[in-house]
Amino acid sequence: MLEDRNIVLVGFMGTGKTSVGKALAKKLKRCLVDVDRRIEEKEKRMIREIFEKEGEPYFRKLEAEVIREVCRQRGVVITTGGGAVLDPANVAALRESGILVCLSARPETIFKRVKNSEKRPLLPTGDKLAQIKKLLDAREPFYEMADHRIQTDEQSPEETAACIIGFLGSAGT
Ligand code: S3P
């Protein structure tokens, strides 16, 4: 595994990016850089409030800026928000900085993981499972662009992290 390449976790909400990112960073003794947390630190408010008060385009602009910044770092684990890959310029910057690993899960698993979360502005109240299915379908082509893909439904974050280390190691990346 090349030490200076970042490992970038992408994927839909609730696929485990944050918990797998933490486990991966711990196992590899790398720093963890979470794009959404950086945005919240910069703005001194929660993502949900940014969406509510300023709207999604404002959030996407911030997200793109923060991605540019974090991509200057090397040898870290980067976790991104579920919509980060919608902007091809984000994907290009992330890919240039490292290797893109997409975490996936079935809509039902995602629903179980996020149904009580109040942090997800893109899943308002109502039929959340239907909203998840629709968004997942629309985003599938973007997640397909990742270098590797891993299903997290039946695995703990530690198991998924170990799997990622396994295939990155054997791929010589
Ligand atoms: C979003 C996912 C969220 C956060 C924002 C937008 C998305 O991150 O970036 O609410 O567009 O899917 P998580 O994937 O960590 O929930």
Side-chain angles (χ1 to χ4, degrees):
M1 198 183 301
L2 294 180
E3 298 298 321
D4 64 334
R5 296 193 77 190
N6 295 330
I7 301 172
V8 184
L9 298 185
V10 299
F12 200 76
M13 296 170 242
T15 52
K17 300 180 298 287
T18 305
S19 41
V20 173
K22 281 183 190 158
L24 198 54
K26 194 170 169 199
K27 281 182 196 289
L28 294 173
K29 298 189 174 56
R30 288 183 178 217
C31 287
L32 176 66
V33 184
D34 184 282
V35 170
D36 280 350
R37 296 298 80 75
R38 282 281 169 100
I39 293 171
E40 291 183 335
E41 280 162 23
K42 263 189 134 170
E43 285 281 300
K44 298 189 178 55
R45 51 186 172 164
M46 307 292 281
I47 303 274
R48 190 191 165 144
E49 192 185 336
I50 302 172
F51 264 78
E52 277 169 10
K53 299 232 167 93
E54 321 293 342
E56 186 172 348
Y58 180 87
F59 170 78
R60 295 296 172 203
K61 198 168 150 272
L62 280 176
E63 186 178 46
E65 278 168 25
V66 168
I67 287 176
R68 258 7 125 258
E69 284 166 24
V70 304
C71 284
R72 286 194 212 113
Q73 292 185 245
R74 285 292 179 264
V76 299
V77 174
I78 299 175
T79 50
T80 59
V85 294
L86 301 178
D87 179 345
N90 290 346
V91 176
L94 290 164
R95 174 162 282 135
E96 199 272 323
S97 91
I99 184 132
L100 261 66
V101 179
C102 179
L103 303 189
S104 302
R106 289 188 294 275
E108 292 73 16
T109 308
I110 293 172
F111 175 68
K112 261 194 244 158
R113 291 178 182 165
V114 305
K115 66 177 183 219
N116 296 320
S117 162
E118 300 200 336
K119 290 192 304 190
R120 262 89 183 196
L122 291 179
L123 298 177
T125 49
D127 188 348
K128 284 197 185 185
L129 181 58
Q131 290 157 12
I132 289 166
K133 285 182 176 165
K134 199 168 160 214
L135 257 187
L136 255 184
D137 267 359
R139 289 181 173 185
E140 188 47 38
F142 297 93
Y143 296 132
E144 267 173 9
M145 291 184 295
D147 303 305
H148 298 275
R149 196 143 183 185
I150 183 158
Q151 203 70 21
T152 66
D153 299 83
E154 322 293 347
Q155 302 194 111
S156 69
E158 287 70 27
E159 286 168 333
T160 304
C163 244
I164 294 172
I165 292 169
F167 65 62
L168 291 188
S170 58
T173 48

